[in-house]
Amino acid sequence: MTAPGEESGRGGDERRLHPVTPLRRAWAPVAVLAGWAVHDPDQAHRQLTRLTTTTLVAGLAVLVPAAALYGFLSWWCTRYAVTDTELRIRTGLFFRRTAHIRLERIQAVDVTRPLLARVAGVAKLKLDVVGTEKKDELAFLGEAEARALRAELLARAAGFAPGTARKVGEAPARQLVRVPAGVIAVSLLLVASTWASLAAALVVPPLLWLATHSLWTVLATAVPLFGGAITSSAGRFVAAYDWTVSESPDGLRIDRGLLDRTHETVPPGRVQTVRIVEPLLWRRLGWVRVELDVAGSSNSVLLPVAPREIAASVIARVLPGVAVPQATGLLRPPRRARWCAPVWWRGHGIAVTDAVFAARHGLLRRRLALVPHAKVQSVRLTQGPWQRVWQVADVRVDTGANRTVTARLRDAGEAAGLLRAQAERSRTGRRGALPDRWMA
């Protein structure tokens, strides 16, 4: 948890970030000027036209050293230390801030290496902490230092003694699946949003030409549409390139990225919901996408695309003992539910096993959500006026990630029984759940 306070614990010599960090922070004054120019472009244009060459050179002579000085002082005032009980981060040039992060509350430590950082041989460390939405980060550290610090923090979070934690090193990993680049590219081409963007780029400009006969209007619309359609798909491909999932004692590790390399960890025991997404055009190929809801973490994708069998094997690593229900094993709503959701009622279904509560919805884009009984925080039954007429109801299951999984349009009697049974399963599931510990 991040909060101001005094130092706790013993030890912990304070260290500074990598010496290249001032180069990154020196851009802050420049970014302020750029933001002002974007906010009021007319005023910025008028001011620039008034500048003479002498004034411009003099301004740069002041701005560049000022930016460099700001970057240096900001770096100089940022320090971090690992004590017996916490990671302490001191920041702030004008307003001092000290973050005290309890080691036992650390859920995940991710290593990110943007393209320029990879060239400079540095990395960014991001921390997921219980009870905080925004990640604390250390940017930048040397790559070796970042990995060593990550290993130490994870070992300390697992309960190792300070002296032992520094010697443990990074836990070994075993590769489970590596998604080929060709599969990622084809999967992006088979997503409806890609074709919708391209269709808009092809249809809208001709319609504007017929309506306005203005070439500039057409170009001003067509270029962003085509650019958005291309860059959106290209950006997703670059982010998912070389997607690798590995298993280690500290959780499932995800390595990905073509330009910016990211090393993420799925915390063990913190996964609240697993969603299997099946777009319409992927079904003939048997591909699915696996998404996660992790309490206190922003990591949301486990597999961008994979065959169903491989996805099921990886899910079994996240939720031990859980088998993904087959489509034929899902119970559909009663036929009278069609009066509440014509056509779409066929896309709903549920399955309850000894381990999970599973609910599916969607016809064109199917989503199957799996919630372990131990992760259910509350269960609710809701029934609108029209649903009461047709004697159907919804059962809503709330998880620890502030998300809700809904079994829609169930028979009213079935929903009431499901409500009582699920409440009991949740209680017994929590009593038998394994502790949420690293390297357990």
Side-chain angles (χ1 to χ4, degrees), residues 205-219:
L207 293 178
L208 283 177
W209 173 257
L210 293 175
T212 64
H213 293 284
S214 171
L215 179 61
W216 291 111
T217 301
V218 172
L219 289 177

Side-chain angles (χ1 to χ4, degrees), residues 395-416:
V395 177
R396 300 178 182 273
V397 171
D398 301 317
T399 70
N402 296 323
R403 297 293 184 92
T404 300
V405 174
T406 304
R408 292 208 60 208
L409 304 176
R410 310 311 305 174
D411 176 82
E414 177 197 357

Side-chain angles (χ1 to χ4, degrees), residues 356-371:
V356 295
F357 176 93
R360 189 188 74 179
H361 70 278
L363 272 179
L364 301 181
R365 184 182 177 89
R366 294 175 182 167
R367 295 179 179 85
L368 176 65
L370 309 175
V371 183

